């Protein structure tokens, strides 16, 4: 049974993820309310995006995307261009 990358435990030491080898690395981050998550697109010129309920990025082959999280919760996201390329941002009051 394959698990989604978004089912992983959150990486507590970062508020950023990078598209690498067709995956988000790390796939799950945990930040506190009021912080901004960053997605860097650096995957050998492969196009990626970040899409979630209520927010999304453009399609990028390089550059980065930032989104501020104000409310605690768990926010699943995905790249709509690549099946299985997904992740999650956990916004919690403690890290």
């Amino acid at each position: 049974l394959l698990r989604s990358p978004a089912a992983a435990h959150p990486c507590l030491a970062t508020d950023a993820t990078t598209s690498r080898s067709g995956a988000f690395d790390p796939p799950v981050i945990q930040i506190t309310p009021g912080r901004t998550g960053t997605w860097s697109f650096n995957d050998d010129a492969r196009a990626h995006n970040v899409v979630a309920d209520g927010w999304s990025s453009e399609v990028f082959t390089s550059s980065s995307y930032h989104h501020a999280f104000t409310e605690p919760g768990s926010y699943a996201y995905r790249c709509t261009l690549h099946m299985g390329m997904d992740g999650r941002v956990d916004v919690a009051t403690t890290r």
Side-chain angles (χ1 to χ4, degrees):
L1 180 64
L2 294 176
R3 287 183 51 180
S4 164
H9 292 289
C11 181
L12 305 178
T14 184
D15 57 4
T17 187
T18 300
S19 62
R20 186 175 290 134
S21 301
F24 291 110
D25 181 30
V28 182
I29 60 173
Q30 182 177 353
I31 62 175
T32 55
R35 301 279 308 203
T36 298
T38 300
W39 290 261
S40 296
F41 301 96
N42 186 13
D43 197 4
D44 297 326
R46 289 176 64 187
H48 297 290
N49 64 1
V50 176
V51 176
D53 290 338
W55 51 275
S56 64
S57 75
E58 298 174 33
V59 173
F60 292 103
T61 55
S62 63
S63 192
S64 59
Y65 171 72
H66 307 275
H67 181 76
F69 293 88
T70 58
E71 296 294 322
S74 188
Y75 300 87
Y77 63 86
R78 68 199 172 285
C79 173
T80 61
L81 306 175
H82 301 100
M83 180 182 272
M85 189 173 174
D86 57 3
R88 188 179 81 240
V89 177
D90 290 341
V91 181
T93 55
T94 59
R95 284 183 104 167

